[in-house]
Amino acid sequence: MGKKKISDAVIRRLPKYYRYLGDLLENGINRVSSNDLSKMTGFTASQIRQDLNNFGGFGQQGYGYDAMNLREEINKILGLNQKFRVVIVGAGNIGQAVANYAGFYEEGFEVLALFDKNPKLIGLRIRDIEIKDLDDLPGYLDDNEIDMGVICTPKAVSQDVADILTSHGIKAIWNFAPTDIKVDDDVAIEHVRMNESLYTLAYYYKQKNDTEE
Amino acid sequence: MGKKKISDAVIRRLPKYYRYLGDLLENGINRVSSNDLSKMTGFTASQIRQDLNNFGGFGQQGYGYDAMNLREEINKILGLNQKFRVVIVGAGNIGQAVANYAGFYEEGFEVLALFDKNPKLIGLRIRDIEIKDLDDLPGYLDDNEIDMGVICTPKAVSQDVADILTSHGIKAIWNFAPTDIKVDDDVAIEHVRMNESLYTLAYYYKQKNDTEE
DNA sequence: TAGATTGTTAATCGATTAACAATC
DNA sequence: TAGATTGTTAATCGATTAACAATC
């Protein structure tokens, strides 16, 4: 409604707070100041307070933040307090990596099926999840309530897969294919840009080694 | 030297230009304007011209840019015009995915060895690259000239692995473990933040579905 | 209470966009 | 040449940082 738009930069810092708060709790630490978080995350204390105050006053003057409470608040802000029913399309190394990743399940992301068109893979099970024939994807989406699709296919077919997913009601797409995918405005999409990351690394490597100022 | 510092945001856009220029060339298109690139990338034409002019005047008034030339210039800027000798530490799904990814080789990244501590994996070959015992990593690094290490281990050991890599002269680390890693200032490091990406997706999914304003 | 630390406003900084002269 | 489009400066916008009153 009248809420001011939160910038993307803020949202992308929240997972980092969330992770460090989890680390603190694992170590039995329950009290944390913006200054503590600053040391951990590398963001300024001022920025951290600004970020959090976009969503509410979670701290207490003179004390700081309760780590568990703050973590739960961020959990809610990010929408991690719901279950996500997930299908993975493309059951190669990356698809399998996602299916196998335990941290995924801990936050409520439940992988229900993988799809591939490789006959050698169809029928196999990853973590007890069956790899199904890609041709069965539309029917599967019609018969099951799925929230999120993970695209782990080669780039040549990633847009087609996205089209199948969205035309069958999927509103969240996590894309590992090295390409941009176009979706309607009501679909959330995130790209894991491995190539971009690698090339950026190459650049900074070069900076540090070529031009030892 | 006296060069003005290029902002990180600029660097992270370069790979996208690079990719779209490649697409154009594949389609036999050799001339491109900042306006064309704007339509493809979603960045403004003005921003694209600004970005490129940080590095030189690659265009021609009234004409635009020569796609092949511009692509080569970006290749050089990013430091992709050199070979990278790479080791992958952690030969699970992600490590194997990286080793198998063809786009990696096309840009001059050559994977020479994988390392793991799982006896079931040691001795296997991925793309004809042997998986070696993690214990042999320090010796291997001493005996071979390696530029880059890719960390695909669980987070509990990622810092230790990074320490081994850097203490044996590695100056570039590509980290897939879901944690921050500390390295000296002369080491370039890039994190592929899959968790952050996923949680951000959860947030935007929630925005689009909860608050149909 | 005194000390600590938040929440929040104001100041600064940097990045993006707009505009247009230069020029192919 | 006329038209197109860059390179580049100036204007705008937004994000970060600094500062401090509020208050636990």
Side-chain angles (χ1 to χ4, degrees):
Chain A
M1 286 284 180
K3 284 206 190 168
K4 75 168 170 302
K5 177 83 162 46
I6 309 292
S7 88
D8 187 66
V10 173
I11 302 308
R12 286 177 195 281
R13 283 192 292 268
L14 295 180
K16 198 159 176 177
Y17 303 143
Y18 187 70
R19 174 158 55 83
Y20 277 104
L21 288 166
D23 290 351
L24 287 172
L25 290 171
E26 272 182 26
N27 292 311
I29 297 165
N30 255 291
R31 175 182 168 178
V32 65
S33 69
S34 58
N35 197 42
D36 297 335
L37 282 169
S38 171
K39 275 175 204 141
M40 288 183 269
T41 61
F43 307 134
T44 64
S46 186
Q47 182 169 58
I48 291 166
R49 292 200 300 279
Q50 286 255 24
D51 282 354
L52 298 175
N53 272 88
N54 282 306
F55 304 100
F58 303 131
Q60 196 175 120
Q61 281 104 327
Y63 177 86
Y65 301 87
D66 178 89
M68 186 174 300
N69 172 254
L70 182 55
R71 188 163 187 276
E72 264 162 34
E73 292 290 351
I74 295 177
N75 180 285
K76 273 186 248 166
I77 292 163
L78 290 172
L80 299 175
N81 59 338
Q82 72 153 97
K83 290 254 177 286
F84 286 84
R85 293 167 59 90
V86 177
V87 297
I88 297 173
V89 186
N93 291 121
I94 303 236
Q96 292 190 24
V98 173
N100 274 316
Y101 182 55
F104 204 52
Y105 297 88
E106 281 161 19
E107 294 300 342
F109 298 88
E110 190 190 358
V111 178
L112 293 161
L114 294 105
F115 291 87
D116 208 291
K117 71 175 184 19
N118 182 346
K120 285 183 194 154
L121 290 174
I122 294 167
L124 292 183
R125 286 175 169 273
I126 307 293
R127 241 186 185 245
D128 210 40
I129 307 150
E130 194 186 345
I131 302 177
K132 299 176 193 290
D133 190 326
L134 184 56
D135 291 340
D136 297 336
L137 177 59
Y140 184 91
L141 294 173
D142 290 340
D143 296 342
N144 296 271
E145 208 170 289
I146 302 297
D147 305 302
M148 181 182 292
V150 186
I151 298 180
C152 303
T153 64
K155 73 175 180 174
V157 298
S158 57
Q159 181 67 58
D160 293 340
V161 168
D163 292 343
I164 294 173
L165 291 168
T166 55
S167 66
H168 291 264
I170 300 292
K171 297 280 188 240
I173 290 183
W174 199 22
N175 175 39
F176 284 77
T179 182
D180 292 330
I181 285 176
K182 299 250 186 316
V183 294
D184 287 346
D185 238 24
D186 62 336
V187 178
I189 186 160
E190 263 289 309
H191 302 270
V192 178
R193 303 178 190 281
M194 288 199 259
N195 274 28
E196 271 87 335
S197 168
L198 179 62
Y199 297 171
T200 303
L201 175 58
Y203 174 83
Y204 285 113
Y205 171 78
K206 184 175 171 240
Q207 291 309 103
K208 300 202 185 235
N209 288 275
D210 284 13
T211 56
E212 298 289 78
E213 66 211 79
Chain B
M1 287 281 181
K3 285 207 190 169
K4 75 168 171 299
K5 176 86 162 49
I6 309 291
S7 88
D8 188 66
V10 174
I11 302 307
R12 286 176 196 281
R13 283 191 291 268
L14 296 180
K16 199 158 175 177
Y17 303 142
Y18 187 68
R19 174 158 53 81
Y20 278 104
L21 289 166
D23 291 350
L24 287 172
L25 290 171
E26 272 182 28
N27 292 312
I29 297 166
N30 255 294
R31 175 183 168 178
V32 64
S33 69
S34 57
N35 197 41
D36 297 335
L37 282 169
S38 171
K39 275 175 203 141
M40 287 183 268
T41 62
F43 307 133
T44 64
S46 186
Q47 182 169 60
I48 292 166
R49 291 199 302 277
Q50 285 255 22
D51 282 355
L52 298 176
N53 272 88
N54 283 306
F55 304 98
F58 303 131
Q60 195 174 123
Q61 282 103 326
Y63 177 86
Y65 301 87
D66 179 88
M68 185 173 299
N69 173 254
L70 182 56
R71 187 162 189 274
E72 264 162 32
E73 292 290 350
I74 295 176
N75 180 286
K76 273 187 247 164
I77 293 163
L78 289 173
L80 299 175
N81 59 338
Q82 72 154 97
K83 290 252 178 287
F84 287 84
R85 293 167 60 89
V86 178
V87 297
I88 297 173
V89 186
N93 291 122
I94 301 237
Q96 293 191 24
V98 173
N100 274 316
Y101 182 54
F104 204 51
Y105 296 87
E106 281 161 21
E107 292 301 342
F109 298 88
E110 190 191 359
V111 178
L112 293 161
L114 294 105
F115 291 87
D116 207 291
K117 70 177 183 27
N118 182 347
K120 285 183 195 154
L121 291 174
I122 295 166
L124 293 183
R125 285 174 170 274
I126 307 293
R127 241 187 186 246
D128 209 42
I129 307 151
E130 194 186 346
I131 302 177
K132 298 176 195 289
D133 191 326
L134 184 56
D135 291 339
D136 297 336
L137 177 59
Y140 184 90
L141 294 172
D142 289 341
D143 296 343
N144 296 272
E145 208 170 289
I146 302 297
D147 305 302
M148 181 181 291
V150 186
I151 299 181
C152 304
T153 64
K155 72 174 180 175
V157 299
S158 57
Q159 181 67 59
D160 293 340
V161 169
D163 292 344
I164 294 173
L165 291 168
T166 55
S167 66
H168 291 265
I170 301 292
K171 297 280 188 243
I173 290 182
W174 200 23
N175 175 39
F176 284 79
T179 182
D180 291 330
I181 284 176
K182 299 250 187 315
V183 293
D184 287 347
D185 239 23
D186 62 336
V187 178
I189 185 161
E190 264 288 312
H191 302 271
V192 178
R193 302 179 191 279
M194 288 198 257
N195 273 28
E196 271 86 336
S197 168
L198 178 63
Y199 297 172
T200 303
L201 175 59
Y203 174 82
Y204 285 113
Y205 171 77
K206 185 177 171 241
Q207 291 309 104
K208 299 200 185 237
N209 288 274
D210 284 14
T211 56
E212 298 291 76
E213 63 212 82

